[in-house]
Amino acid sequence: MKIYRFKHDGIIRHGILKEENLFSVRGSIFEGFTVEDTPVPIGEVMLLPPVEPSKIVAVGRNYKDHAAEMGNILPAEPLLFLKPSTAVIGPQDMIIYPKMSSRVDYEGELAVVMKKKAYMLDNEAPVEDYILGYTCLNDITARDLQDKDKQFTRAKSFDTFAAVGPCVVTGLDPSRLEIKTFLNGKLRQSSNTRHLIFSVPFLVRFISNVMTLLPGDIISTGTPAGVGPMQPGDRVDVQIEGIGTLSNQVLKIY
Ligand code: MG
């Protein structure tokens, strides 16, 4: 099932995609819903980020080839950082190139969307029950500031630096999905989630033992090799098997 969030006739709702139509949901995508039978063509709506997370927990260096290209050793435990909720944009929004940076990179990633509040999950906990589904995320990074600051907050947190979407897909096995990133149509990252160092179930358990994950919260699982800079005017597409393509353009307004 593909869950979208969209605006139509001034109203924001969630909807399920069937062929090229969205069917609005009544109720909560986290707690249960029914589907209305009046379709709206997807081409007639404004697509929004599929959820509104309280936080994005991102994982650094979770693919061997990316750790190597950055000259980093592999972490013994997941390397976590946060991206603020104010950085989130959807599939029809622009990435704004910040004035403070002169090197802004794309990072295509598989993102986990939480369904239920998760805290201190143990090894027996059924992790799948806590996950709503999966989406694409572009973990946009001001690489020059990351190098300068020696930590991630500023580099990862500018408004528009967390592109999410286009939808949340339920019932997907996250362990073997092709993931690709294109810059202006040219392939720049190509990998498979089977190369993740720390798996999705491991990450959910691990993070839930650090902080409470709330419905709609996002875990971004890390990027494979091939990261690189974007320039104003560029278009970046993050494409994941079974989910679709998240496409955003870069804009400089300052
Ligand atoms: Mg990343």
Side-chain angles (χ1 to χ4, degrees):
M1 184 166 62
K2 290 190 169 181
I3 304 172
Y4 283 78
R5 192 165 146 267
F6 63 96
K7 192 171 186 178
H8 181 64
D9 282 344
I11 300 169
I12 294 173
R13 347 176 123 95
H14 279 104
I16 309 300
L17 187 73
K18 287 177 192 160
E19 289 163 1
E20 290 303 299
N21 291 304
L22 287 166
F23 291 79
S24 293
V25 310
R26 189 181 287 273
S28 159
I29 59 166
F30 305 108
E31 287 161 19
F33 59 84
T34 54
V35 180
E36 294 181 349
D37 50 14
T38 332
V40 183
I42 191 166
E44 292 178 13
V45 306
M46 185 187 172
L47 296 178
L48 302 174
V51 285
E52 296 176 283
S54 77
K55 58 187 167 293
I56 297 171
V57 188
V59 185
R61 301 169 202 165
N62 202 22
Y63 287 84
K64 262 184 221 168
D65 55 0
H66 174 60
E69 77 176 346
M70 305 305 282
N72 292 314
I73 54 160
L74 293 183
E77 294 181 298
L79 174 66
L80 305 181
F81 62 92
L82 290 170
K83 288 175 83 81
S85 58
T86 43
V88 172
I89 57 169
Q92 292 178 337
D93 294 323
M94 299 275 198
I95 299 163
I96 306 298
Y97 203 107
K99 211 188 207 170
M100 277 186 199
S101 174
S102 49
R103 166 78 193 233
V104 177
D105 285 10
Y106 55 83
E107 294 189 0
E109 309 195 358
L110 173 74
V112 182
V113 178
M114 299 303 296
K115 180 179 186 184
K116 286 204 294 194
K117 183 172 170 179
Y119 180 61
M120 301 269 273
L121 300 185
D122 60 23
N123 287 338
E124 278 71 53
V127 170
E128 311 73 44
D129 293 356
Y130 290 84
I131 295 172
L132 177 67
Y134 300 90
T135 189
C136 308
L137 191 143
N138 189 348
D139 173 22
I140 299 145
T141 304
R143 197 69 70 199
D144 51 350
L145 303 182
Q146 186 183 27
D147 294 342
K148 197 198 270 182
D149 290 353
K150 310 287 178 228
Q151 51 97 329
F152 293 7
T153 304
R154 181 165 60 142
K156 298 282 191 178
S157 300
F158 286 95
D159 283 12
T160 76
F161 269 28
V164 182
C167 56
V168 178
V169 180
T170 63
L172 204 58
D173 173 0
S175 68
R176 302 187 162 268
L177 301 173
E178 290 289 318
I179 175 164
K180 292 183 166 65
T181 307
F182 301 85
L183 184 68
N184 300 320
K186 294 198 184 88
L187 184 64
R188 291 296 165 92
Q189 294 186 284
S190 180
S191 189
N192 189 291
T193 57
R194 70 174 183 272
H195 299 306
L196 284 173
I197 297 168
F198 299 106
S199 70
V200 166
F202 184 92
L203 290 172
V204 173
R205 267 197 201 97
F206 183 87
I207 294 165
S208 81
N209 279 271
V210 178
M211 64 188 96
T212 302
L213 292 163
L214 299 175
D217 278 357
I218 290 175
I219 297 171
S220 201
T221 59
T223 200
V227 299
M230 308 179 288
Q231 306 303 331
D234 285 351
R235 173 160 290 281
V236 189
D237 299 329
V238 179
Q239 191 179 80
I240 301 178
E241 185 182 358
I243 298 172
T245 304
L246 168 69
S247 190
N248 297 94
Q249 202 164 1
V250 183
L251 183 70
K252 190 152 191 153
I253 54 174
Y254 306 110

